[in-house]
Amino acid sequence: MREYDILCVTNRKLCQDEFLRRIDLIASNHPAGIILREKDLPEPEYEVLAKQVMDICSRYGVPCILHNFTDVALKLGAQAIHVPLPVLRRMTAEQKASLCVLGASCHSAEDAREAEQLGCTYITVGHIFDTNCKKGIPGRGLEFLREVCGFAHIPVYAIGGIAPDNVADVRRAGAAGICIMSRLMQCENPEEEIEALANH
């Protein structure tokens, strides 16, 4: 089975089909992980969805990375969580110790340094290129990505506007992998999309 360096970041509002079916399609193509990032959901609803997505990911042996809700992650026995920096700062040593994977979203070199010092096992940095998800805000560019990758001692995943025509530049800049949201939520064929991103 081929291993990919692609993290899928979810956004059920972008899905053209039923969300759990889309998760199943993506998981069946074995990305490096699926970050369940449904920011608008209240914690109880997120917990219900997290159980379902964790079950799907488990079926395919794909890591399910929960987002933001540390209590939900602990309650469900999740092995991985991705958090914004403010949440990371509040996490206790006990909470961190219960996780195998801890990621954080970083938007500057200072963020990246802090996240690493606070115990992250990987970080995402972005947005690298212009993207509809951040309309009107210019991408930080490859030089920014190169700078963060140059000092980081943990894997750096690039996010924001990444596509088959620029993914090779992202990897050359030192990224351990890439995060994809819109393309995998909206594409007709996740297998073809993952292959296209992997083969450039």
Side-chain angles (χ1 to χ4, degrees):
M1 183 191 305
R2 181 168 181 179
E3 292 185 2
Y4 294 101
D5 64 352
I6 299 165
L7 288 176
C8 168
V9 182
T10 73
N11 184 337
R12 71 194 190 289
K13 293 186 174 180
L14 294 178
C15 281
Q16 306 300 311
D17 50 5
E18 198 274 323
F19 180 65
L20 292 177
R21 181 177 178 275
R22 171 66 40 156
I23 294 297
D24 193 280
L25 282 170
I26 293 168
S28 70
N29 287 285
H30 302 281
I34 294 177
I35 301 175
L36 183 62
R37 182 181 177 270
E38 299 302 318
K39 294 175 71 174
D40 63 305
L41 281 182
E43 188 165 338
E45 292 177 35
Y46 183 88
E47 181 179 336
V48 172
L49 185 62
K51 287 178 186 174
Q52 296 171 310
V53 173
M54 286 173 72
D55 285 345
I56 293 170
C57 288
S58 176
R59 207 156 58 232
Y60 293 104
V62 171
C64 179
I65 305 169
L66 300 191
H67 184 265
N68 193 41
F69 294 117
T70 53
D71 288 342
V72 171
L74 296 173
K75 183 176 178 181
L76 298 182
Q79 297 294 299
I81 193 168
H82 187 97
V83 294
L85 266 181
V87 175
L88 178 64
R89 291 175 186 132
R90 294 194 302 268
M91 288 181 72
T92 66
E94 290 76 18
Q95 288 174 323
K96 293 175 185 176
S98 69
L99 299 161
C100 297
V101 176
L102 176 59
S105 302
C106 299
H107 306 287
S108 68
E110 293 73 24
D111 285 356
R113 286 190 180 92
E114 182 180 3
E116 185 168 342
Q117 289 166 358
L118 289 173
C120 281
T121 59
Y122 79 94
I123 55 173
T124 62
V125 296
H127 58 285
I128 303 305
F129 303 111
D130 294 353
T131 170
N132 286 336
C133 297
K134 302 280 187 182
K135 277 189 176 176
I137 305 174
R140 289 175 171 83
L142 291 168
E143 193 53 46
F144 162 73
L145 177 61
R146 205 171 285 115
E147 177 192 359
V148 174
C149 292
F151 69 72
H153 300 95
I154 55 177
V156 175
Y157 284 77
I159 190 169
I162 296 169
D165 63 354
N166 60 34
V167 68
D169 293 330
V170 168
R171 293 188 176 106
R172 278 194 292 270
I178 58 174
C179 297
I180 304 293
M181 182 171 67
S182 302
R183 297 185 75 89
L184 285 176
M185 291 289 101
Q186 296 177 316
C187 66
E188 287 189 15
N189 188 322
E191 180 178 10
E192 289 181 359
E193 191 67 34
I194 288 172
E195 283 289 336
L197 289 161
N199 292 328
H200 280 76

